[in-house]
Amino acid sequence: MVTSELHATPSPDHRIRVLLVEDDRPIRERMTAILRAADRIDLVAAAATLAEARALCAAHVPAVLVTDLKLPDGSGLDLIHETRRLYPAMEIMVVSVLGDERSVLTAIEAGAAGYILKDSAAIDLVGSVLDLVAGRSPISTSIARTIVRRVQSRPDAPSATPPAEPVPSLTERETDILWGVAKGLTYSDIAERLGISRNTVLTHIKNIYRKLEVNSRGEAVFAAINHNIINLKG
């Protein structure tokens, strides 16, 4: 399914329903206050455990899930996997102290489209949620560097032996659009840059997802990097 990418960008008057999952009470209360004070955000609930998050997701089906990875009764990664399967239209963003390569890449592969570190100097939580629903992928600078280092350390230069796994074949236009997605552009931005309509961009996105066998922006970009379809060093 590709419905997670095909919703319209919310209008300025549209309130975005958000579910927050954070086990640390002081941090949860601070993030709750920030989200509740935002004009365009409707914080439907805040959970402290994986079990609570599962129940609240089912009860409210929010547009955006903001979750920690370390929960007292399980992993936020399990929640991301389940959410992507049960609610493919839901946007997912991780806010965590975990910035290691494994945690970041696993979360992106699971379906998270954004990843922000709690220890960032200034977390723009509201701005990140708005970016997420606008089609961008909010990500901490250090996390972006982690992904770039991962790509740069791969032994897959043109002279290297090609992978045994067949590389999905994307058209030049599909590659251009995927590059725009990787750069954090909205579908409207990509359409304007390429001189095509937004609906045409969405049609190409559907084809990209089908060819890469993915369901989200983060998965598409990660798959494209792994297959050398796009190169973040460029």
Coordinates of all heavy atoms in Angstrom, one line a residue, residues 67-163:
T67 N 7.3 9.1 18.8 CA 7.6 8.1 19.8 C 9.1 8.0 20.1 O 10.0 8.3 19.3 CB 7.2 6.7 19.2 OG1 7.4 5.7 20.3 CG2 7.9 6.3 18.0
D68 N 9.3 7.6 21.4 CA 10.7 7.3 21.8 C 11.0 5.8 21.4 O 10.0 5.1 21.0 CB 10.7 7.4 23.3 CG 12.2 7.4 23.9 OD1 13.1 7.3 23.1 OD2 12.3 7.5 25.1
L69 N 12.2 5.4 21.5 CA 12.5 4.0 21.1 C 12.6 3.1 22.4 O 12.3 2.0 22.4 CB 13.8 3.9 20.3 CG 13.8 4.5 18.9 CD1 15.2 4.4 18.3 CD2 12.7 3.9 18.1
K70 N 13.2 3.7 23.5 CA 13.3 2.9 24.7 C 12.1 3.1 25.6 O 11.9 4.2 26.2 CB 14.6 3.4 25.4 CG 15.9 3.2 24.7 CD 17.1 3.7 25.4 CE 17.3 2.9 26.7 NZ 18.5 3.4 27.5
L71 N 11.3 2.1 25.7 CA 10.1 2.1 26.5 C 10.2 1.0 27.6 O 10.9 0.0 27.4 CB 8.9 1.9 25.6 CG 8.6 2.9 24.5 CD1 7.5 2.5 23.6 CD2 8.4 4.3 25.1
P72 N 9.6 1.2 28.7 CA 9.7 0.3 29.8 C 9.3 -1.1 29.6 O 9.7 -2.1 30.2 CB 9.0 0.9 31.0 CG 8.0 1.8 30.3 CD 8.7 2.3 29.1
D73 N 8.3 -1.3 28.7 CA 7.7 -2.7 28.4 C 8.0 -3.1 27.0 O 7.4 -4.1 26.5 CB 6.2 -2.7 28.7 CG 5.5 -1.6 27.9 OD1 6.2 -0.7 27.4 OD2 4.3 -1.7 27.7
G74 N 9.0 -2.5 26.3 CA 9.3 -3.0 25.0 C 10.0 -1.9 24.2 O 10.6 -1.0 24.7
S75 N 10.1 -2.1 22.9 CA 10.8 -1.2 22.0 C 9.9 -0.4 21.1 O 8.9 -0.9 20.6 CB 11.8 -2.0 21.1 OG 12.3 -1.2 20.1
G76 N 10.2 0.9 21.0 CA 9.5 1.7 20.1 C 9.5 1.2 18.6 O 8.7 1.5 17.8
L77 N 10.6 0.4 18.3 CA 10.7 -0.1 17.0 C 9.5 -1.1 16.7 O 9.0 -1.1 15.6 CB 12.0 -0.9 16.8 CG 13.3 0.0 16.8 CD1 14.5 -0.9 16.9 CD2 13.3 0.9 15.5
D78 N 9.1 -1.8 17.7 CA 7.9 -2.7 17.5 C 6.7 -1.9 17.2 O 5.9 -2.3 16.4 CB 7.7 -3.6 18.8 CG 8.8 -4.6 19.0 OD1 9.5 -5.0 18.0 OD2 9.1 -4.9 20.2
L79 N 6.6 -0.8 17.9 CA 5.4 0.1 17.7 C 5.4 0.7 16.3 O 4.4 0.8 15.6 CB 5.4 1.2 18.7 CG 4.3 2.2 18.6 CD1 2.9 1.6 18.8 CD2 4.5 3.4 19.6
I80 N 6.6 1.0 15.8 CA 6.8 1.6 14.4 C 6.4 0.5 13.4 O 5.6 0.8 12.5 CB 8.2 2.1 14.2 CG1 8.5 3.3 15.1 CG2 8.4 2.5 12.7 CD1 10.0 3.7 15.1
H81 N 6.9 -0.7 13.6 CA 6.6 -1.8 12.6 C 5.0 -2.0 12.6 O 4.4 -2.1 11.5 CB 7.2 -3.1 13.1 CG 8.6 -3.2 12.6 ND1 9.0 -3.4 11.3 CD2 9.8 -3.2 13.3 CE1 10.3 -3.5 11.1 NE2 10.8 -3.4 12.3
E82 N 4.4 -2.1 13.8 CA 3.0 -2.4 13.9 C 2.2 -1.2 13.3 O 1.2 -1.5 12.6 CB 2.6 -2.6 15.3 CG 3.2 -3.9 15.9 CD 3.0 -3.9 17.4 OE1 2.3 -3.1 18.0 OE2 3.7 -4.8 18.1
T83 N 2.6 0.0 13.6 CA 1.9 1.1 13.1 C 1.9 1.2 11.6 O 0.9 1.5 10.9 CB 2.4 2.4 13.7 OG1 2.3 2.4 15.1 CG2 1.7 3.7 13.1
R84 N 3.1 1.0 11.0 CA 3.2 1.0 9.5 C 2.4 -0.1 8.9 O 1.8 0.1 7.8 CB 4.7 0.8 9.2 CG 5.0 0.8 7.7 CD 4.6 2.1 7.0 NE 5.3 3.3 7.7 CZ 4.7 4.4 7.8 NH1 3.4 4.6 7.5 NH2 5.3 5.4 8.4
R85 N 2.2 -1.2 9.6 CA 1.4 -2.3 9.0 C -0.1 -2.0 9.2 O -0.9 -2.2 8.2 CB 1.8 -3.6 9.7 CG 0.9 -4.8 9.3 CD 1.4 -6.1 9.9 NE 1.5 -6.0 11.3 CZ 0.5 -6.3 12.1 NH1 -0.7 -6.6 11.7 NH2 0.7 -6.2 13.5
L86 N -0.5 -1.6 10.4 CA -1.9 -1.4 10.7 C -2.5 -0.1 10.2 O -3.7 0.0 9.8 CB -2.1 -1.5 12.2 CG -1.8 -2.9 12.8 CD1 -1.9 -2.8 14.3 CD2 -2.8 -3.9 12.3
Y87 N -1.6 1.0 10.2 CA -2.1 2.3 9.8 C -1.1 2.9 8.8 O -0.3 3.8 9.2 CB -2.2 3.2 11.1 CG -2.9 2.5 12.2 CD1 -2.2 2.1 13.3 CD2 -4.3 2.3 12.3 CE1 -2.8 1.5 14.4 CE2 -4.9 1.7 13.3 CZ -4.1 1.3 14.4 OH -4.7 0.6 15.5
P88 N -1.1 2.5 7.6 CA -0.1 2.9 6.6 C -0.1 4.4 6.3 O 0.9 5.0 5.8 CB -0.4 2.1 5.4 CG -1.8 1.7 5.6 CD -2.0 1.5 7.0
A89 N -1.2 5.1 6.6 CA -1.3 6.5 6.4 C -0.7 7.4 7.5 O -0.5 8.6 7.3 CB -2.8 7.0 6.1
M90 N -0.4 6.8 8.6 CA 0.1 7.5 9.8 C 1.6 7.9 9.6 O 2.4 7.0 9.2 CB -0.1 6.7 11.0 CG 0.0 7.5 12.3 SD -0.2 6.4 13.8 CE -1.8 5.8 13.6
E91 N 1.9 9.1 9.8 CA 3.3 9.6 9.8 C 4.0 9.2 11.1 O 3.3 9.3 12.1 CB 3.4 11.1 9.5 CG 2.8 11.5 8.1 CD 3.8 11.2 7.0 OE1 4.8 10.5 7.2 OE2 3.5 11.5 5.9
I92 N 5.3 8.9 11.0 CA 6.0 8.5 12.3 C 7.3 9.2 12.4 O 8.0 9.3 11.5 CB 6.3 7.0 12.2 CG1 5.0 6.2 12.0 CG2 7.0 6.5 13.5 CD1 5.2 4.7 11.8
M93 N 7.5 9.8 13.6 CA 8.7 10.5 13.9 C 9.3 10.0 15.2 O 8.6 9.8 16.2 CB 8.5 12.0 14.0 CG 9.8 12.7 14.2 SD 9.6 14.5 14.1 CE 8.6 14.9 15.5
V94 N 10.6 9.7 15.2 CA 11.3 9.2 16.5 C 11.9 10.4 17.1 O 12.5 11.3 16.5 CB 12.3 8.2 16.1 CG1 13.2 7.9 17.4 CG2 11.7 6.9 15.6
V95 N 11.7 10.5 18.5 CA 12.5 11.5 19.3 C 13.2 10.7 20.4 O 12.5 10.1 21.2 CB 11.5 12.6 19.9 CG1 12.4 13.5 20.7 CG2 10.8 13.3 18.8
S96 N 14.5 10.6 20.3 CA 15.2 9.6 21.2 C 16.6 10.1 21.5 O 17.1 11.0 20.9 CB 15.3 8.3 20.4 OG 16.1 7.3 21.1
V97 N 17.1 9.5 22.6 CA 18.5 9.8 23.0 C 19.4 8.9 22.2 O 20.6 9.1 22.2 CB 18.7 9.6 24.5 CG1 17.9 10.5 25.3 CG2 18.4 8.1 24.9
L98 N 18.9 7.9 21.5 CA 19.7 6.9 20.8 C 20.0 7.5 19.4 O 19.2 7.7 18.6 CB 18.9 5.6 20.6 CG 18.5 4.9 21.9 CD1 17.7 3.6 21.6 CD2 19.8 4.5 22.7
G99 N 21.3 7.7 19.2 CA 21.8 8.3 17.9 C 22.7 7.4 17.2 O 23.4 7.8 16.2
D100 N 22.9 6.2 17.7 CA 23.8 5.2 17.1 C 23.3 4.8 15.7 O 22.1 4.8 15.4 CB 24.1 4.0 17.9 CG 22.8 3.2 18.2 OD1 22.0 3.7 19.0 OD2 22.6 2.2 17.6
E101 N 24.2 4.4 14.9 CA 23.8 4.0 13.5 C 22.8 2.9 13.4 O 21.8 3.0 12.6 CB 25.1 3.5 12.7 CG 24.8 3.1 11.3 CD 26.1 2.7 10.6 OE1 27.0 3.5 10.5 OE2 26.2 1.5 10.1
R102 N 22.9 1.9 14.2 CA 22.0 0.8 14.2 C 20.5 1.2 14.5 O 19.6 0.9 13.9 CB 22.4 -0.3 15.2 CG 21.5 -1.5 15.2 CD 22.0 -2.6 16.1 NE 21.1 -3.8 16.0 CZ 21.3 -4.9 16.8 NH1 22.3 -5.0 17.6 NH2 20.4 -5.9 16.7
S103 N 20.4 2.0 15.6 CA 19.1 2.5 16.0 C 18.4 3.4 14.9 O 17.3 3.2 14.6 CB 19.2 3.3 17.3 OG 19.6 2.5 18.4
V104 N 19.2 4.3 14.4 CA 18.7 5.2 13.4 C 18.3 4.5 12.1 O 17.1 4.6 11.7 CB 19.8 6.2 13.0 CG1 19.3 7.1 11.8 CG2 20.1 7.1 14.2
L105 N 19.2 3.6 11.6 CA 18.8 3.0 10.3 C 17.7 1.9 10.5 O 16.9 1.8 9.6 CB 20.1 2.3 9.8 CG 21.2 3.2 9.4 CD1 22.4 2.5 8.9 CD2 20.8 4.2 8.4
T106 N 17.7 1.3 11.7 CA 16.6 0.3 11.9 C 15.2 1.0 12.0 O 14.2 0.5 11.5 CB 16.8 -0.5 13.2 OG1 18.1 -1.1 13.1 CG2 15.8 -1.5 13.4
A107 N 15.2 2.2 12.6 CA 14.0 3.0 12.7 C 13.5 3.4 11.4 O 12.3 3.4 11.0 CB 14.2 4.2 13.7
I108 N 14.4 3.9 10.5 CA 14.1 4.3 9.2 C 13.6 3.2 8.3 O 12.6 3.3 7.6 CB 15.3 5.0 8.5 CG1 15.6 6.3 9.2 CG2 15.0 5.3 7.0 CD1 16.9 7.0 8.7
E109 N 14.3 2.0 8.4 CA 13.8 0.8 7.7 C 12.4 0.4 8.2 O 11.6 -0.1 7.4 CB 14.8 -0.3 7.9 CG 16.1 -0.1 7.1 CD 17.0 -1.4 7.3 OE1 17.3 -1.7 8.4 OE2 17.3 -2.0 6.3
A110 N 12.2 0.6 9.5 CA 10.9 0.1 10.0 C 9.7 1.0 9.5 O 8.6 0.6 9.5 CB 10.9 0.1 11.5
G111 N 10.0 2.3 9.1 CA 9.0 3.1 8.6 C 9.0 4.6 9.2 O 8.1 5.3 8.8
A112 N 9.9 4.9 10.0 CA 10.0 6.3 10.5 C 10.4 7.2 9.4 O 11.4 6.9 8.7 CB 10.9 6.4 11.7
A113 N 9.8 8.4 9.3 CA 10.1 9.3 8.3 C 10.9 10.5 8.8 O 11.4 11.4 8.1 CB 8.9 9.8 7.5
G114 N 11.0 10.6 10.2 CA 11.7 11.6 10.8 C 12.5 11.0 12.0 O 12.0 10.1 12.6
Y115 N 13.6 11.7 12.4 CA 14.4 11.2 13.6 C 15.1 12.3 14.2 O 16.0 12.9 13.6 CB 15.4 10.1 13.1 CG 15.9 9.2 14.2 CD1 15.6 7.8 14.2 CD2 16.6 9.7 15.3 CE1 16.1 7.0 15.2 CE2 17.1 8.9 16.3 CZ 16.8 7.5 16.2 OH 17.3 6.7 17.2
I116 N 14.7 12.7 15.4 CA 15.3 13.8 16.1 C 15.9 13.4 17.5 O 15.2 12.6 18.2 CB 14.2 14.9 16.3 CG1 13.7 15.4 15.0 CG2 14.8 16.0 17.2 CD1 12.6 16.4 15.1
L117 N 17.0 13.9 17.8 CA 17.7 13.5 19.1 C 17.2 14.4 20.2 O 17.0 15.6 20.0 CB 19.2 13.7 19.0 CG 19.9 12.6 18.1 CD1 21.4 12.9 18.0 CD2 19.6 11.2 18.5
K118 N 16.9 13.9 21.4 CA 16.4 14.6 22.5 C 17.5 15.6 23.0 O 17.2 16.7 23.5 CB 16.1 13.7 23.7 CG 14.8 12.9 23.4 CD 14.6 12.0 24.7 CE 13.4 11.1 24.5 NZ 13.2 10.2 25.6
D119 N 18.8 15.3 22.8 CA 19.8 16.2 23.3 C 20.2 17.3 22.3 O 21.2 17.9 22.5 CB 21.0 15.4 23.7 CG 21.7 14.6 22.6 OD1 21.1 14.7 21.4 OD2 22.7 13.9 22.8
S120 N 19.4 17.5 21.3 CA 19.7 18.6 20.3 C 19.6 19.9 21.1 O 18.9 20.0 22.1 CB 18.7 18.6 19.2 OG 18.8 17.4 18.5
A121 N 20.4 20.9 20.7 CA 20.4 22.1 21.4 C 19.0 22.7 21.5 O 18.7 23.3 22.5 CB 21.4 23.1 20.7
A122 N 18.3 22.7 20.5 CA 16.9 23.2 20.5 C 16.0 22.4 19.6 O 16.2 22.4 18.4 CB 16.9 24.7 20.0
I123 N 15.2 21.6 20.2 CA 14.3 20.7 19.4 C 13.1 21.5 19.0 O 12.3 21.9 19.9 CB 13.9 19.5 20.2 CG1 15.1 18.6 20.5 CG2 12.9 18.6 19.4 CD1 14.8 17.4 21.4
D124 N 12.9 21.7 17.7 CA 11.7 22.4 17.2 C 10.6 21.3 17.0 O 10.4 20.8 15.9 CB 12.0 23.1 16.0 CG 10.8 23.9 15.5 OD1 9.7 23.9 16.1 OD2 10.9 24.6 14.4
L125 N 10.0 20.9 18.1 CA 9.0 19.7 18.0 C 7.9 20.1 17.1 O 7.5 19.2 16.2 CB 8.6 19.4 19.4 CG 7.7 18.1 19.5 CD1 8.5 16.9 19.0 CD2 7.3 17.9 21.0
V126 N 7.3 21.2 17.3 CA 6.1 21.6 16.5 C 6.5 21.7 15.0 O 5.9 21.2 14.1 CB 5.5 22.9 17.0 CG1 4.4 23.4 16.0 CG2 5.0 22.8 18.4
G127 N 7.6 22.4 14.7 CA 8.1 22.6 13.4 C 8.4 21.2 12.7 O 8.1 21.0 11.5
S128 N 8.9 20.3 13.5 CA 9.2 19.0 12.9 C 7.9 18.2 12.5 O 7.9 17.6 11.5 CB 10.0 18.1 13.9 OG 11.3 18.7 14.2
V129 N 6.9 18.3 13.4 CA 5.6 17.7 13.1 C 5.0 18.3 11.8 O 4.5 17.6 10.9 CB 4.6 17.8 14.3 CG1 3.2 17.4 13.8 CG2 5.1 17.0 15.4
L130 N 5.1 19.6 11.7 CA 4.5 20.3 10.5 C 5.3 19.9 9.3 O 4.7 19.7 8.2 CB 4.6 21.8 10.7 CG 3.7 22.4 11.8 CD1 3.8 23.9 11.9 CD2 2.2 22.0 11.7
D131 N 6.6 19.8 9.4 CA 7.5 19.4 8.3 C 7.1 18.0 7.8 O 7.0 17.7 6.6 CB 9.0 19.4 8.6 CG 9.6 20.8 8.6 OD1 8.9 21.7 8.0 OD2 10.7 21.0 9.1
L132 N 6.8 17.1 8.8 CA 6.5 15.7 8.5 C 5.2 15.6 7.7 O 5.2 14.9 6.7 CB 6.3 15.0 9.8 CG 6.4 13.4 9.8 CD1 7.8 13.0 9.4 CD2 6.0 12.8 11.1
V133 N 4.2 16.3 8.1 CA 2.9 16.2 7.3 C 3.0 17.0 6.0 O 2.1 16.8 5.2 CB 1.7 16.7 8.2 CG1 1.6 15.8 9.4 CG2 1.9 18.1 8.6
A134 N 4.0 17.9 5.9 CA 4.1 18.6 4.6 C 4.9 17.8 3.6 O 5.1 18.3 2.5 CB 4.8 20.0 4.9
G135 N 5.4 16.6 4.0 CA 6.1 15.8 3.0 C 7.6 15.8 3.2 O 8.3 15.2 2.4
R136 N 8.1 16.5 4.3 CA 9.5 16.5 4.5 C 9.9 15.4 5.5 O 9.0 14.8 6.1 CB 9.9 17.9 5.0 CG 9.6 19.0 4.1 CD 10.1 20.4 4.6 NE 9.7 21.5 3.7 CZ 8.6 22.2 3.9 NH1 7.8 21.9 5.0 NH2 8.3 23.2 3.1
S137 N 11.2 15.3 5.7 CA 11.7 14.3 6.7 C 12.6 15.0 7.7 O 13.8 15.1 7.5 CB 12.5 13.2 6.0 OG 11.6 12.4 5.2
P138 N 12.0 15.5 8.8 CA 12.8 16.2 9.8 C 13.8 15.2 10.4 O 13.5 14.1 10.9 CB 11.8 16.7 10.8 CG 10.6 15.7 10.6 CD 10.6 15.4 9.2
I139 N 15.1 15.7 10.5 CA 16.1 14.8 11.0 C 17.2 15.6 11.6 O 17.6 16.7 11.0 CB 16.7 13.9 9.9 CG1 17.6 12.8 10.4 CG2 17.4 14.7 8.8 CD1 17.9 11.7 9.4
S140 N 17.8 15.2 12.7 CA 18.9 16.0 13.4 C 20.1 15.9 12.5 O 20.4 14.9 11.8 CB 19.2 15.4 14.8 OG 18.1 15.5 15.6
T141 N 20.9 17.0 12.6 CA 22.1 17.1 11.7 C 23.0 15.9 12.0 O 23.6 15.3 11.0 CB 22.8 18.4 12.0 OG1 22.0 19.5 11.8 CG2 24.1 18.5 11.2
S142 N 23.2 15.5 13.2 CA 24.1 14.4 13.6 C 23.6 13.1 13.0 O 24.4 12.2 12.6 CB 24.4 14.3 15.1 OG 23.1 14.1 15.7
I143 N 22.3 13.0 12.9 CA 21.7 11.8 12.4 C 22.0 11.7 10.9 O 22.3 10.7 10.3 CB 20.2 11.7 12.6 CG1 19.9 11.6 14.1 CG2 19.6 10.5 11.9 CD1 20.5 10.4 14.8
A144 N 21.8 12.9 10.2 CA 22.1 13.0 8.8 C 23.6 12.6 8.5 O 23.9 11.9 7.5 CB 21.8 14.4 8.3
R145 N 24.4 13.0 9.4 CA 25.9 12.7 9.2 C 26.1 11.2 9.4 O 26.9 10.6 8.7 CB 26.7 13.5 10.2 CG 26.8 15.0 9.9 CD 27.5 15.7 11.0 NE 27.6 17.2 10.7 CZ 27.8 18.1 11.6 NH1 28.0 17.8 12.8 NH2 27.9 19.4 11.2
T146 N 25.3 10.6 10.3 CA 25.4 9.1 10.5 C 25.1 8.4 9.2 O 25.8 7.5 8.8 CB 24.5 8.7 11.6 OG1 24.9 9.2 12.9 CG2 24.5 7.1 11.7
I147 N 24.0 8.8 8.6 CA 23.6 8.2 7.3 C 24.7 8.4 6.2 O 25.0 7.5 5.5 CB 22.2 8.7 6.9 CG1 21.2 8.4 7.9 CG2 21.9 8.2 5.5 CD1 19.8 8.9 7.6
V148 N 25.2 9.7 6.1 CA 26.2 10.0 5.1 C 27.4 9.1 5.4 O 28.0 8.5 4.4 CB 26.6 11.5 5.2 CG1 27.8 11.7 4.3 CG2 25.4 12.3 4.7
R149 N 27.9 9.0 6.6 CA 29.1 8.2 6.9 C 28.8 6.7 6.5 O 29.7 6.0 6.0 CB 29.4 8.3 8.4 CG 30.1 9.6 8.8 CD 30.7 9.5 10.2 NE 29.7 9.2 11.2 CZ 29.1 10.1 11.9 NH1 29.4 11.4 11.7 NH2 28.2 9.7 12.9
R150 N 27.6 6.3 6.8 CA 27.3 4.9 6.4 C 27.4 4.7 4.9 O 28.0 3.7 4.4 CB 25.8 4.6 6.8 CG 25.2 3.3 6.2 CD 25.9 2.0 6.7 NE 25.3 0.8 6.2 CZ 24.3 0.2 6.8 NH1 23.9 0.5 8.0 NH2 23.8 -0.9 6.2
V151 N 26.9 5.7 4.1 CA 27.0 5.6 2.7 C 28.5 5.7 2.2 O 28.9 4.9 1.4 CB 26.2 6.7 2.0 CG1 26.4 6.7 0.5 CG2 24.7 6.5 2.3
Q152 N 29.2 6.6 2.8 CA 30.6 6.8 2.4 C 31.5 5.6 2.7 O 32.5 5.4 2.0 CB 31.1 8.0 3.1 CG 30.5 9.3 2.5 CD 31.0 10.5 3.3 OE1 31.5 10.4 4.5 NE2 30.8 11.7 2.7
S153 N 31.1 4.8 3.7 CA 32.0 3.7 4.1 C 31.6 2.4 3.4 O 32.3 1.4 3.5 CB 31.8 3.4 5.6 OG 30.5 3.0 5.9
R154 N 30.6 2.5 2.5 CA 30.2 1.3 1.8 C 31.2 0.9 0.7 O 31.6 1.8 -0.1 CB 28.8 1.5 1.2 CG 27.6 1.4 2.1 CD 26.4 1.9 1.4 NE 26.1 1.1 0.2 CZ 25.4 -0.1 0.2 NH1 24.9 -0.5 1.4 NH2 25.2 -0.7 -0.9
P155 N 31.6 -0.3 0.6 CA 32.6 -0.7 -0.4 C 31.9 -1.0 -1.7 O 32.0 -2.1 -2.3 CB 33.2 -2.0 0.2 CG 32.1 -2.6 0.9 CD 31.3 -1.4 1.5
D156 N 31.2 0.0 -2.3 CA 30.4 -0.2 -3.5 C 30.7 0.8 -4.5 O 29.8 1.4 -5.1 CB 28.9 -0.3 -3.2 CG 28.4 0.9 -2.3 OD1 29.2 1.9 -2.2 OD2 27.3 0.9 -1.8
A157 N 32.0 1.2 -4.7 CA 32.4 2.1 -5.8 C 32.0 1.4 -7.1 O 31.8 0.2 -7.2 CB 33.9 2.4 -5.7
P158 N 32.0 2.2 -8.2 CA 31.7 1.6 -9.5 C 32.5 0.4 -9.9 O 32.0 -0.5 -10.6 CB 31.9 2.8 -10.5 CG 31.7 4.0 -9.6 CD 32.2 3.7 -8.3
S159 N 33.8 0.3 -9.4 CA 34.6 -0.8 -9.8 C 34.3 -2.0 -8.9 O 34.8 -3.1 -9.2 CB 36.1 -0.4 -9.6 OG 36.4 0.0 -8.3
A160 N 33.6 -1.9 -7.9 CA 33.3 -3.0 -7.0 C 32.4 -4.0 -7.6 O 31.7 -3.7 -8.6 CB 32.7 -2.5 -5.7
T161 N 32.4 -5.2 -7.1 CA 31.5 -6.2 -7.6 C 30.0 -5.9 -7.3 O 29.7 -5.5 -6.2 CB 31.8 -7.6 -6.9 OG1 33.1 -7.9 -7.1 CG2 30.9 -8.7 -7.5
P162 N 29.2 -5.8 -8.3 CA 27.8 -5.4 -8.1 C 27.1 -6.4 -7.2 O 27.4 -7.6 -7.1 CB 27.2 -5.5 -9.5 CG 28.1 -6.4 -10.3 CD 29.4 -6.2 -9.7
P163 N 26.1 -6.0 -6.4 CA 25.4 -6.8 -5.5 C 24.6 -7.9 -6.3 O 24.2 -7.7 -7.4 CB 24.4 -5.9 -4.8 CG 24.2 -4.8 -5.8 CD 25.5 -4.6 -6.5

